[in-house]
Amino acid sequence: MRRISLTRVFSFSAAHRLNSDALSHEENKQIFDKCNNYYGHGHDYSVEVTVQGTPDSETGMLIPLPQLDTAVTEFLTTLEHKHLDLEAPYFKDKISTGENIVRYLWNELDKRLPAGKLFHIRLWETNNNYFDIGKDA
Amino acid sequence: MRRISLTRVFSFSAAHRLNSDALSHEENKQIFDKCNNYYGHGHDYSVEVTVQGTPDSETGMLIPLPQLDTAVTEFLTTLEHKHLDLEAPYFKDKISTGENIVRYLWNELDKRLPAGKLFHIRLWETNNNYFDIGKDA
Amino acid sequence: MRRISLTRVFSFSAAHRLNSDALSHEENKQIFDKCNNYYGHGHDYSVEVTVQGTPDSETGMLIPLPQLDTAVTEFLTTLEHKHLDLEAPYFKDKISTGENIVRYLWNELDKRLPAGKLFHIRLWETNNNYFDIGKDA
Amino acid sequence: MRRISLTRVFSFSAAHRLNSDALSHEENKQIFDKCNNYYGHGHDYSVEVTVQGTPDSETGMLIPLPQLDTAVTEFLTTLEHKHLDLEAPYFKDKISTGENIVRYLWNELDKRLPAGKLFHIRLWETNNNYFDIGKDA
Amino acid sequence: MRRISLTRVFSFSAAHRLNSDALSHEENKQIFDKCNNYYGHGHDYSVEVTVQGTPDSETGMLIPLPQLDTAVTEFLTTLEHKHLDLEAPYFKDKISTGENIVRYLWNELDKRLPAGKLFHIRLWETNNNYFDIGKDA
Amino acid sequence: MRRISLTRVFSFSAAHRLNSDALSHEENKQIFDKCNNYYGHGHDYSVEVTVQGTPDSETGMLIPLPQLDTAVTEFLTTLEHKHLDLEAPYFKDKISTGENIVRYLWNELDKRLPAGKLFHIRLWETNNNYFDIGKDA
């Protein structure tokens, strides 16, 4: 029987700045370009969370939607309208690139969902770029 | 030579209700939430149908588009502006969750397309959630 | 000083059927086409609510967003995941066309918002059609 | 002869915070809600700039596109990947609400475009809300 | 009673080239830029057609949808997958700018719809620019 | 450690015609339908380019964005506002179907990006169909 997955779309708005303390001012400017702006900038992030498995034979669903929504929303609330670098401890020593944010989302959501259900996460940073983790990415 | 796939986007509007006769009124309310509303509700479903294979060396195409469009459209017409639970026999004894609808689409489209061509189906139920079947889902 | 307006986008999913008791079965079929389907069908409606006026000099806002969101959401909840014809009394004797739904939205939201603030409503029935009321429509 | 308008879509990403020095901490929290977050947050703003007039009889265009694009892009660059409150002088004593940003855009673009051409500006703050100025707004 | 309008979204794909015989090669290059490419280029045009009036008291509709769809589709078929400059006689002596195309659409659709119903047309040339005619444009 | 990918969205507008010299006029009409129109037609193509690998431990990025953007943009410029069949040598003896265009994009971008980074390309021909190459397609 073919496998089926369910994806829900969430969103949050946040500020951040791409800057590495290990790099010189000039290197930071060159590598991160306008994303290195001293006072930060921001995005409306969109998050597609995919769970996979065998639908429950009685309900026909992979996971009760309120359970999925609650788990994801409770976590995303900690980032909503925040400055990622200054307010999310994970980014104290990591640059808040999309690559690192999507890994952070994976780590946190995987803990909050039933074991083995989380299958893929896509993080849209703007309408023109996104980051994937899971599956074969 | 790398494999190539072609995806076409289709759509249909339908009404449905999530309810299991095997569950009590309270259980149905708890599990299906507002989707359990007695008189039903509806969606504008969007369906992305993907075929894969080796493009024909003469036409450069995986499948003649009219053949694909006709096969899919003829089937989706049976759901267009219908009440899924009351008018599609498949849902007589199955709940019309996205998971079950996307499996139903797979079964029906796989029969109507050349053997081995159907590769993936994505069903958007709303702009905020979708269901996948095929590939590794 | 030029006038400014603020628009917020809301959504709800519902079922309905276009049918007039004053018309014969054949006339209903001809005029409403597939929207006349006996068991109903459904849509994911999107509602753009526009308020206009002079921004408050202290807050820089036309209306406190929680006030706007609460007023609109409280009303749309009465339609969310409902069958419009069977559960919204307004459509007991009116056909639930987009034209009539958008007028109903105007009447109800205008009552719930500060006098003179409501300026325009756009109701998307599907991704391919929408209805406007207000301004010069 | 009917009037015609041309609209171009631009975008920029920025951080900001909604906070009024004239209000108490509690009032700021209540009015601006999560937008009052101390460290700021951010958005991907989208800007639709509309010019109106009579198309040039020779070129068939309202305005040469490079002229429009240059004028708008040169200005938006000053906001791109910036913190609005800390880096755009206009917001030194004004709260960076969408209402105030769209007025600021009008003032600045009207100066940079041929007299009388600017007709309307729509500023999307997120995919769920936008602000209009011009026409009758 | 407030006026209501209905808008339907249509689309067609076509090739064209912006070039004026009255201008020198260099002037054409400067004014039309990459749109002056000798062999032409193309777009997926999207057309939003708005009709306005008083909904019929019996049907609750401004116009029977099949009537609107037939009128618009019959005309757009003459442009579908065509080269505008070489195949649409209107552009024999007019440059196929968005401004001129939207005026052409107005002239043709106004003839095909019941008198006084056509209210506004928006023509999207790409996802980043559109042209309006009607209302106050 | 889970693999991560980054995708950037690009676009170009072009004209083309689907026609095979090896087929008769009637066969071309039947297979390519309206895409066989003698004078060509056009599209606004959208290209999603995905790179995969291990993010750099210092920058947190899979690839410096300016490097990716420059490589892709430099190539897409050769197609921008062009007639694919008449101006891109690759299509001299190949039909410019989406299947062939996406393979051409793969060949060209794979050469221009660091070895092994290119992971997937999705080419949208219109809003209703797209072509994939890479991964398992």
Side-chain angles (χ1 to χ4, degrees), chain C residues 97 99 128 130 132 136-137, chain E residues 1 5 7 9 48 52 60 62:
Chain C
T97 56
E99 288 90 336
N128 290 321
Y130 55 82
D132 287 87
D136 63 349
Chain E
M1 206 162 191
S5 69
T7 302
V9 185
E48 305 182 13
Q52 202 208 47
L62 281 164

Side-chain angles (χ1 to χ4, degrees), chain A residues 25-39:
Chain A
H25 180 69
E26 285 68 30
E27 289 169 322
N28 271 307
K29 268 282 163 235
Q30 191 199 334
I31 293 171
F32 297 117
D33 202 47
K34 60 188 180 183
C35 299
N36 183 241
N37 180 53
Y38 183 75
Y39 294 102

Side-chain angles (χ1 to χ4, degrees), chain C residues 50 75 100-113 117-122 132-135, chain E residues 2-4:
Chain C
T50 302
F75 172 63
N100 281 335
I101 299 175
V102 80
R103 171 164 291 144
Y104 177 47
L105 292 173
W106 180 278
N107 295 347
E108 292 298 324
L109 295 181
D110 198 33
K111 281 191 279 192
R112 287 166 167 80
L113 291 168
K117 286 276 188 197
L118 185 59
F119 184 59
H120 194 88
I121 296 177
R122 175 168 291 182
D132 287 87
I133 190 169
K135 282 196 275 194
Chain E
R2 291 185 171 277
R3 305 179 78 174
I4 288 173

Side-chain angles (χ1 to χ4, degrees), chain B residues 2 5 25-26 30 40 49 53 66 84 88 100 110 125 137:
Chain B
R2 291 186 172 278
S5 69
H25 179 69
E26 285 68 30
Q30 192 200 334
V49 179
L84 298 180
N100 281 336
D110 198 34
E125 191 179 56

